[in-house]
Amino acid sequence: MIPLVASAATDQGRFPLGPGTRVSGPRADLARDLLGLDTRGDGLGEVVLKLVADPSLGAEGYTLTVTPDRAVIAAAGAAGLGWGVQTLRQLDAPGGVPCGTVRDVPRYAWRGVMIDVARWWRPVSFLRAYVDLLALHKFNVLHLHLTDDQGWRFEVRAHPRLTEVGARRAESPAGHAREGRSDGTPHGGFYTQRELRDLVEYAAARGVTVVPEIEFPGHSQAAIAACPWLGHPSAEPVQVRTTWGISSHVLNVSDRAAAFARDVLDELSEVFPSPYVHIGGDEVRGDAWATSPEAARRVAGAGLDGPEALLGWWGRLLADHLRGLGRRAVAWDDMLDHDPPEDMVIMAWRGVDRIEAAARAGHDVVAAPHTHTYLDYAESDAPGEPVSISGPLPLETVYGFDAGDAVLGLQAQLWGEYLPTKERFDYNAFPRLCAVAEAAWSSGRDLGDFTRRLTAHLPLLDRLGVAYRRPYDQGAARVHL
């Protein structure tokens, strides 16, 4: 099983889980779907799901008891029942499910995966398939990176040009960005609010919360291309960025720009019921603020130390608005240096030391250090690996990361620049996502045991059509990437 359960004991016999197995209790329809069972349920054996008053299980823990004629999943809430079903699903093998008992409670409340759809738009079918893969591995957060310099993917009805213009770029880099080559092929796409509501509902049924991210105030060239008044009057008009890297074009600090941000967050919060909304805040190049009379007036009026403090001004403005909507702001750890509000969740990406710094400052922290969780990095530097933004980041390093006990959770990142296709995305994601899943759910670490369980787990990924990278093959890709 991946992730490893908290405790398990085996017994003699097997439970023959088959198409006609009966299912009863809360979430029975979803359980039938996940387990591939017939809705008639006229065969031998039964899967029983039940809610119990057991505070020790928390919101997501469960117990699983398997005998030759039934499998009973008990939990204090619907989420725990879902994770119990996923464990039963993984235990199913030729001959049936081994009899025994499992008691399982997750280590962290936030177990996330960030998928970047701004660099490369991906169809909703792709996102649904990844929701299923995340749920199988007991991840409970899909962090959806919806906007960046290279594309705006979220429909905003108050500002239709964001998708009319910002969702399309003229071309994309070919090969590594430093080579300066382009593919000459237009790329675009966005999600309607209806599509995203359906995705949110689909994910919620599987225990996964979709946390949206809109980048403010940097990584905003696509927004400025669509709505030039968001940029700086002295700047030349821009197009949606066609190269990777960091744009120097950032949002200005006018009242109109602030109203725009509130419009976006209002519509975003109507679509995504998540208690968390990610506001970006990373890699903001404030050169335009340093020479802007408007920025100087804002600095003086707000009593700020200088133009670099405008990042904190943006963070507090957005967090205040989200608080009024009943949401908590999440931001990358760059914001930590600019007086963020205490209730802002910090996503620590620039190093393990940033996890400690954010925790010392009193913030809830999601550990996401690039040194251990950036799965867009190459797994090895051996010949045959496809072009990646950085690396290597071996499976063993990912598995060995321990975020400690003072964090809200742990998250893997799959930035999209060099992952344009499903095959390439799968290749970078798996099996390292299996390692992140275990680091987020389970308390212990045993690389040898994990490797043995991973070997047994890979046939399931094969059946699900995941084009994963073969472990320990030193870069020999299975598909053309």
Side-chain angles (χ1 to χ4, degrees):
M1 290 176 288
I2 292 177
L4 183 65
V5 299
S7 65
T10 58
D11 205 344
Q12 293 185 345
R14 286 182 174 266
F15 170 62
L17 187 64
T21 301
R22 300 184 302 278
V23 183
S24 63
R27 312 200 75 189
D29 289 344
L30 178 63
R32 289 191 195 96
D33 181 43
L34 293 174
L35 297 170
L37 304 180
D38 195 298
T39 56
R40 294 171 299 174
D42 56 3
L44 297 176
E46 183 177 17
V47 175
V48 179
L49 297 94
K50 63 179 184 179
L51 295 173
V52 295
D54 185 349
S56 68
L57 293 175
E60 296 185 273
Y62 65 92
T63 62
L64 170 62
T65 305
V66 182
T67 62
D69 58 357
R70 70 167 36 184
V72 179
I73 299 170
L81 293 178
W83 304 138
V85 170
Q86 297 291 0
T87 294
L88 184 63
R89 181 182 175 194
Q90 287 199 35
L91 286 171
D92 190 24
V97 179
C99 292
T101 59
V102 170
R103 184 178 180 86
D104 205 11
V105 178
R107 182 180 186 187
Y108 295 128
W110 183 304
R111 305 179 304 280
V113 176
M114 191 281 296
I115 295 181
D116 173 9
V117 295
R119 272 51 178 262
W120 295 101
W121 176 85
R122 305 180 193 278
V124 173
S125 58
F126 171 96
L127 295 176
R128 285 190 173 220
Y130 259 83
V131 164
D132 288 335
L133 287 170
L134 266 55
L136 174 66
H137 296 90
K138 300 187 176 70
F139 288 104
N140 64 353
V141 171
L142 168 58
H143 168 183
L144 207 54
H145 185 79
L146 288 163
T147 70
D148 216 292
D149 297 316
Q150 296 83 10
W152 184 286
R153 311 297 176 203
F154 173 65
E155 177 192 29
V156 181
R157 291 169 179 167
H159 301 280
R161 282 181 58 83
L162 288 169
T163 47
E164 291 171 357
V165 175
R168 294 169 178 82
R169 63 175 180 262
E171 58 187 5
S172 308
H176 201 284
R178 62 174 172 262
E179 298 173 18
R181 295 186 291 117
S182 295
D183 62 10
T185 303
H187 175 77
F190 69 93
Y191 307 104
T192 67
Q193 293 190 10
R194 176 60 182 272
E195 287 176 322
L196 291 170
R197 283 192 177 95
D198 289 347
L199 176 66
V200 165
E201 182 179 354
Y202 183 87
R206 287 151 180 79
V208 177
T209 297
V210 184
V211 174
E213 180 185 2
I214 301 292
E215 278 276 11
F216 300 105
H219 286 284
S220 296
Q221 185 168 324
I224 294 168
C227 304
W229 47 268
L230 289 171
H232 295 266
S234 61
E236 294 292 326
V238 297
Q239 304 298 316
V240 177
R241 190 175 172 93
T242 58
T243 56
W244 308 139
I246 308 167
S247 172
S248 60
H249 294 278
V250 301
L251 300 182
N252 64 46
V253 292
S254 66
D255 291 342
R256 190 181 183 188
F260 161 84
R262 287 190 285 266
D263 289 344
V264 173
L265 293 179
D266 287 346
E267 294 196 31
L268 195 76
S269 296
E270 291 173 359
V271 173
F272 296 92
S274 163
Y276 301 98
V277 172
H278 204 302
I279 59 171
D282 63 313
E283 299 178 323
V284 177
R285 292 181 173 172
D287 295 348
W289 291 339
T291 59
S292 164
E294 181 181 63
R297 289 192 295 271
R298 181 68 72 182
V299 167
L304 304 177
D305 291 337
E308 67 281 355
L310 288 168
L311 175 56
W313 176 86
W314 265 112
R316 291 185 295 277
L317 180 145
L318 299 171
D320 288 348
H321 189 70
L322 286 170
R323 197 178 301 112
L325 297 171
R327 313 301 172 88
R328 286 183 70 183
V330 185
W332 299 107
D333 71 61
D334 310 51
M335 195 69 76
L336 186 62
D337 303 325
H338 298 279
D339 193 23
E342 291 182 0
D343 63 344
M344 180 178 283
V345 177
I346 298 297
M347 194 162 279
W349 73 276
R350 289 185 291 173
V352 174
D353 62 313
R354 301 300 287 173
I355 302 170
E356 300 167 357
R360 284 197 306 271
H363 293 275
D364 284 338
V365 186
V366 176
H370 73 96
T371 52
H372 296 81
T373 69
Y374 272 37
L375 304 189
D376 54 316
Y377 287 11
E379 186 159 343
S380 87
D381 55 7
E385 286 285 5
V387 174
S388 295
I389 194 168
S390 189
L393 179 52
L395 176 71
E396 296 86 347
T397 301
V398 176
Y399 182 76
F401 176 58
D402 190 324
D405 296 326
V407 300
L408 178 63
L410 174 64
Q411 181 168 288
Q413 281 56 242
L414 284 147
W415 297 104
E417 290 95 330
Y418 297 93
L419 312 179
T421 65
K422 175 194 178 298
E423 290 77 16
R424 179 63 203 277
F425 194 96
D426 285 356
Y427 181 86
N428 272 65
F430 286 98
R432 288 183 294 182
L433 266 185
C434 297
V436 178
E438 187 146 314
W441 180 278
S442 311
S443 296
R445 290 289 194 289
D446 184 330
L447 181 61
D449 179 65
F450 171 75
T451 301
R452 289 189 292 273
R453 284 183 287 109
L454 179 61
T455 300
H457 184 71
L458 294 180
L460 175 56
L461 297 184
D462 285 324
R463 293 195 296 274
L464 294 173
V466 180
Y468 59 86
R469 181 188 187 277
R470 295 285 181 184
Y472 317 114
D473 69 357
Q474 296 302 308
R478 297 195 309 152
V479 295
H480 178 69
L481 302 168

